[in-house]
Amino acid sequence: MTTTARRTITDDQGAPLAIDPLRFRDTLGHYASGITVITGVDDDGPIGFTCQSFYSVSVDPPLVSFSVMTNSTTYPRIREAGRFVVNVLGADQDGVSSQFARKGTDKWAGVDSSVTASGLPIIVDTVMWLECELWAEHEAGDHFIVVGRVVDMSLPDWHRAEPLLFFQGRYRRLEELEVPR
């Protein structure tokens, strides 16, 4: 049996109707993503925010990207510094994710951290981290798409944890599938 994907909903003149933002967000919630915390440092000290929109862009040169809301109060400080670290959170770091997602709090309170060779903050016990220089930024609707050039990264012995995932509005963990032989 073959099914056909639903066509674009249009008005009487054939123009596409606006996409409902809540339905759009709910639909995208069916795509599992990893959770990162983007960190940096400025004159006031360490800064950071939770980000689930992260991906690799290029191997040569080594580029990664994340998206951040245009109304973020933390990202402009990272932009000004020109450097940042992508910390990929481990399965047991949902509390860290929630803490860095809040506004108006001390995001670093109780968070174990270290620093890169250049002094940028790294969250301890993450799956991995990448230190980046700001490469490009593009405005896209209500977000900025930020591209960073990787200049340093965690060593292989750092990569011990399983990743924290986000799916359908909740934190999740990986589970091995039993594949019949």
Side-chain angles (χ1 to χ4, degrees), residues 67-89:
S67 295
V68 59
M69 295 282 295
T70 55
N71 65 356
S72 168
T73 57
T74 304
Y75 174 65
R77 297 168 61 193
I78 289 175
R79 177 198 296 131
E80 182 68 25
R83 297 175 75 86
F84 58 89
V85 174
V86 178
N87 299 268
V88 177
L89 297 185

